[in-house]
Amino acid sequence: VGLVVRGFLLTRPGFLTSGTVEYDDGVYLGTAIRLLQGAVPYRDFAFVQPPGIVIVALPFALVARLGSATAALAFARVASVCASAACVPLAGNVVRHRGILATLVTCGFLAVYPADVITARTLLLEPWMNLCCLIAINLAFRHGRLASPRWLGWAGVALGFATAIKFWAGAPAAILLACCLLT
């Protein structure tokens, strides 16, 4: 359901390849393209976001190099829809130990949550940050309890990358740190 709802926006006439959806998606893709050309953000040109989105956008920039920027933007939009839709089962897995009702409510709510659906339509920070945070939480917890230190380390890596995409991921990282210190 989450994939269908998010993918529906891409089926609108001209939407997939139009450059008129957001102004941020072009900036992120353009920064990744410039990085592939050898220009370094923060040193050679101004870039106000954390560097994680540039790393996420590198495969799309490679498509732009091999094909066109329009194809790269279309690829980025499809990948963003997939990343956002992947958050639905990841969120469900976090609460699975609470029973089927909690899992269905969590997955159902996230599958149709308007703010999440609308940010998934193009290359924005939120779907990728959410994906990294949910991967981290799935790595950090097993059946509602903290996982082994090795898995907590990988969760820290995922949360670190999420923070490199958008600073707001620092909040779940701080909560996970507090959980580790309290246990």
Side-chain angles (χ1 to χ4, degrees):
V1 170
L3 185 61
V4 169
V5 169
R6 286 156 180 78
F8 176 73
L9 292 175
L10 300 182
T11 65
R12 308 308 337 136
F15 183 86
L16 191 60
T17 56
S18 82
T20 58
V21 177
E22 293 282 338
Y23 58 87
D24 289 345
D25 55 0
V27 171
Y28 304 147
L29 181 60
T31 301
I33 291 170
R34 297 247 356 241
L35 182 61
L36 279 183
Q37 295 169 344
V40 178
Y42 313 110
R43 186 187 75 189
D44 297 330
F45 61 94
F47 186 65
V48 297
Q49 295 296 341
I53 193 64
V54 179
I55 295 166
V56 168
L58 279 175
F60 316 133
L62 189 58
V63 170
R65 176 177 264 181
L66 300 173
S68 68
T70 303
L73 186 57
F75 181 47
R77 287 178 177 172
V78 170
S80 293
V81 162
C82 292
S84 180
C87 291
V88 174
L90 286 170
N93 193 50
V94 170
V95 298
R96 185 176 69 176
H97 69 281
R98 296 284 185 191
I100 189 82
L101 183 62
T103 305
L104 285 173
V105 168
T106 300
C107 290
F109 180 75
L110 188 56
V112 297
Y113 184 61
D116 196 57
V117 171
I118 208 73
T119 60
R121 71 183 195 252
T122 193
L123 182 62
L124 293 176
L125 303 175
E126 289 79 7
W128 299 99
M129 179 198 65
N130 293 344
L131 179 65
C132 291
C133 286
L134 282 166
I135 287 171
I137 298 306
N138 274 279
L139 290 170
F141 292 96
R142 298 282 186 269
H143 307 291
R145 305 225 182 265
L146 280 175
S148 69
R150 179 173 58 108
W151 289 112
L152 287 172
W154 283 112
V157 170
L159 281 172
F161 189 69
T163 305
I165 293 172
K166 190 169 182 173
F167 292 128
W168 283 106
I175 292 169
L176 181 58
L177 178 63
C179 287
C180 290
L181 293 174
L182 291 174
T183 13

